[in-house]
Amino acid sequence: PIVESVLPYYEIDMARRETGAIVQHFNPLIGLPATAELANWVRSGHPEVGAIHQLTCERKVTNAARKEVLACMARDVELLAAVGGDIRRVSAIGPTTPEASFASLQVQMTTTIVASLRWSVGGVANSESFQLALLGEHGTITLRESGTPSQAPASWQLEIAHDDQHYVQPLPAFDPAKAVIQCFTAAIAEPR
């Protein structure tokens, strides 16, 4: 979030409607090529892992202050919704004061497709890292990123573990800034 109040968002949208401007937010996780495949597995099951019953997302942060943790959570939850479906209910467990460390924050969600989504801080480290796990009937599929969001392109891999088998599939490099610029350019080129 840019700010915690929703009022600036309404003002931005009002200006966009009045001027017909194109406005797009930037989330370095949106547009990942693996997102559509993960969402398909959540909806239809995976050939080896089976039906997906739960999504868990763990984010290592460099700073456990409230502002930084909430910024990571907002970015990650958008990807969780793209993979798991529209979020319907949210509950959270964490610190009781804004000044406390948010290293213990855990958020539980339900969607229209998956009964359980969980987001949590995976600790404080020298660099941010992200992993999204799809927990299935016969195993786990994990999308893993390492490095900081400012590094482009980030390193991504898909790990699939089922029965006694485990394999890692490196994913093509993804430059989120380039992808969003291409999307923005295409939107500007639209005739209307």
Side-chain angles (χ1 to χ4, degrees), residues 38-45 51-55 80-88 109-117 134:
L38 292 170
N40 185 46
W41 290 338
V42 166
R43 285 158 184 72
S44 306
I52 305 299
H53 299 295
Q54 188 179 141
L55 274 69
L80 274 172
V83 172
D86 292 333
I87 295 171
R88 297 295 182 196
M109 296 159 268
T110 61
T111 71
T112 54
I113 300 166
V114 182
S116 177
L117 277 79
L134 284 64

Side-chain angles (χ1 to χ4, degrees), residues 51 96 173 185:
T96 55
T185 302

